Amino acid sequence: MTAPTDAVRAHALTLPSAELPAYVYDLAALREHAAFVRAALSERVELYYAAKANPEPEILATLSPYVHGYEVASGGELAHVGNAVPGRPLAFGGPGKTPAEIAAALDQGVARFHVESAHELRVLAELSARRAPDARVGILLRFNLPLPGGLLAGSTLAMGGRPTPFGLDPSEAQEVVGLLGGGVYPQLELRGVHAHLASGLEAAELVAVAESVVTWAEALAARHRIPLAEVNVGGGMNVDYTTAERRFDWAAYGTGISRLAAAHPDLTLRIEPGRALTAYCGWYVTEVLDVKYSHGQEFAVVRGGTHHLRTPATKGHDQPCTVLPVATWPHPWPRPAARQNEITLTGQLCTPKDLLARNVLAPGLRAGDRVAFGLAGAYAWNISHHDFLMHPRPGFHFLDPARN
Ligand SMILES: *Cc1c(COP(=O)(O)O)cnc(C)c1O
């Protein structure tokens, strides 16, 4: 759902113009959504939140009762999430971990390392032996596995099933599992397999991916006679920016993944979604500065732009939005207003790429009206190029009736 909640709408209309643009998050809506996701999954499915989707401390803390832990993918996220939700289990993934990051993760006592290469495994082994030779370090081997037939085409961001820098190639399994056998690295405990293969898949497709990962992991374990305690099947649940009222079908996914867990009673199944947990709880709220006619088309220029909300530019979509009309106009001259039914919403940047939404149906849109862009709770502010053109930063508001 991308129309702002009542709380967000009211807040968006109360903020003075000078305090726009602003990111407005509805933490009550986030809590409700996270509880729904958790309830859709059986007890045996562990839920980690991939912090890179949105690492705002308020978001991390709000999710805390509903998640088993957090997936972090850099030394920065490791320190940040460790501070925001102290004591919660962390899984450390990502390609190109530096020795300093690995050492910091060992000091912090992360719950799981997602090992992405043989070299990384050796660095981890060396550093862990040196720092705390008696401590056990739980690891999952991340593999770039083939996606089940036809799914590569459907996903928007494929990390697996094609050449990528993520994880181990399946052909390296023998070598890496061999390194872990024979007691050479007694401090490293191989717990299982990790595979985050694609983002942007729907429920049935993702269940099929999870099934194929579990099947592959069990065959690996059988082949090498190693125990298999855990499989992390990653995140990637689709957020649909084009059909704005549709949410990822967590109920269907939960049923499928819970059935998979039930069929493998000795296995802990873990998922680590990012976007489909937090995208729905955030709005980027701004104000129309001007309405302009240009060569047959109309443009509304809003405060801010893609340097705050890069999502539509990076994904090439139109960010879903809702107009919040403002009745008052402080100037003695006529208010710039749209004459056509459709208008393109752009930001303040001096580049034609600063497009937030094209051909928005907003007849009569006026300067001074406000616009709330939805699905801005994930991969929005934190992926944006904030410093380009040196406009002021947006405000951040975390609405929480439970606390205010
Ligand atoms: C980004 C990422 C996720 C989360 O992906 P979403 O598409 O936001 O659900 C999970 N696991 C890994 C390893 C990732 O890199």
Side-chain angles (χ1 to χ4, degrees):
M1 260 86 352
T2 62
T5 60
D6 291 346
V8 169
R9 179 184 290 265
H11 194 77
L13 288 168
T14 321
L15 288 172
S17 293
E19 292 184 27
L20 295 173
Y23 272 95
V24 183
Y25 299 99
D26 189 330
L27 296 185
L30 176 59
R31 202 172 283 126
E32 192 182 326
H33 178 60
F36 174 76
V37 170
R38 187 54 258 176
L41 304 166
S42 82
E43 294 271 306
R44 299 216 21 261
V45 178
E46 290 191 1
L47 173 62
Y48 273 51
Y49 171 58
K52 81 171 185 289
N54 185 335
E56 296 289 349
E58 291 85 350
I59 301 274
L60 298 174
T62 300
L63 288 173
S64 184
Y66 309 101
V67 298
H68 289 77
Y70 299 82
E71 191 258 354
V72 298
S74 73
E77 285 190 353
L78 185 68
H80 172 83
V81 178
N83 279 330
V85 280
R88 297 310 311 277
L90 304 183
F92 185 26
K97 300 177 188 75
T98 66
E101 288 176 318
I102 292 173
L106 288 167
D107 287 346
Q108 223 171 300
V110 302
R112 288 291 172 271
F113 277 86
H114 298 165
V115 172
E116 303 221 5
S117 79
H119 169 65
E120 187 185 308
L121 183 69
R122 289 186 161 106
V123 174
L124 173 62
E126 187 181 276
L127 290 174
S128 58
R130 214 185 285 157
R131 297 173 91 80
D134 299 329
R136 302 277 280 168
V137 180
I139 66 171
L140 300 183
L141 297 176
R142 179 178 182 179
F143 281 98
N144 174 354
L145 302 177
L147 282 163
L151 288 183
L152 195 52
S155 83
T156 49
L157 264 179
M159 266 67 64
R162 65 183 184 91
T164 71
F166 306 108
L168 293 147
D169 192 78
S171 66
E172 297 172 301
Q174 171 130 14
E175 177 202 346
V176 175
V177 173
L179 280 176
L180 287 162
V184 186
Y185 302 131
Q187 74 281 20
L188 299 187
E189 183 181 358
L190 176 58
R191 302 281 307 163
V193 165
H194 174 282
H196 171 71
L197 298 178
S199 277
L201 294 180
E202 296 299 341
E205 300 168 326
L206 269 183
V207 170
V209 170
E211 281 167 354
S212 79
V213 170
V214 168
T215 303
W216 188 89
E218 286 192 322
L220 174 84
R223 209 162 51 238
H224 296 280
R225 294 177 215 286
I226 50 169
L228 181 74
E230 299 167 19
V231 176
N232 183 327
V233 295
M237 295 71 185
N238 188 38
V239 167
D240 188 347
Y241 294 87
T242 60
T243 319
E245 296 311 312
R246 226 177 117 239
R247 282 195 183 188
F248 178 76
D249 192 349
W250 276 108
Y253 180 77
T255 303
I257 205 81
S258 301
R259 195 175 294 148
L260 182 61
H264 300 270
D266 298 331
L267 208 59
T268 296
L269 261 193
R270 189 174 299 135
I271 64 172
E272 49 181 28
R275 71 191 71 224
L277 278 178
T278 51
Y280 310 111
C281 78
W283 286 264
Y284 178 65
V285 177
T286 184
E287 160 187 76
V288 177
L289 291 171
D290 209 344
V291 173
K292 307 171 77 164
Y293 174 89
S294 174
H295 297 275
Q297 286 190 33
E298 286 186 307
F299 294 86
V301 182
V302 304
R303 278 183 195 260
T306 54
H307 53 305
H308 295 164
L309 178 65
R310 193 163 189 268
T311 327
T314 191
K315 291 180 72 86
H317 65 226
D318 299 308
Q319 196 73 19
C321 61
T322 304
V323 174
L324 308 174
V326 171
T328 54
W329 173 247
H331 305 291
W333 54 85
R335 200 169 168 179
R339 295 196 178 86
Q340 304 178 0
N341 283 335
E342 290 186 357
I343 190 161
T344 290
L345 305 183
T346 69
Q348 295 173 278
L349 301 184
C350 304
T351 158
K353 294 187 176 175
D354 193 18
L355 292 170
L356 291 162
R358 291 158 298 183
N359 308 113
V360 175
L361 194 62
L365 182 70
R366 302 157 299 182
D369 284 338
R370 295 191 171 179
V371 183
F373 291 92
L375 301 180
Y379 303 105
W381 165 251
N382 69 321
I383 63 156
S384 303
H385 44 295
H386 312 147
D387 293 333
F388 186 43
L389 265 111
M390 301 177 74
H391 286 290
R393 298 200 161 199
F396 289 87
H397 305 266
F398 298 88
L399 309 184
D400 190 355
R403 267 172 228 162
N404 302 334

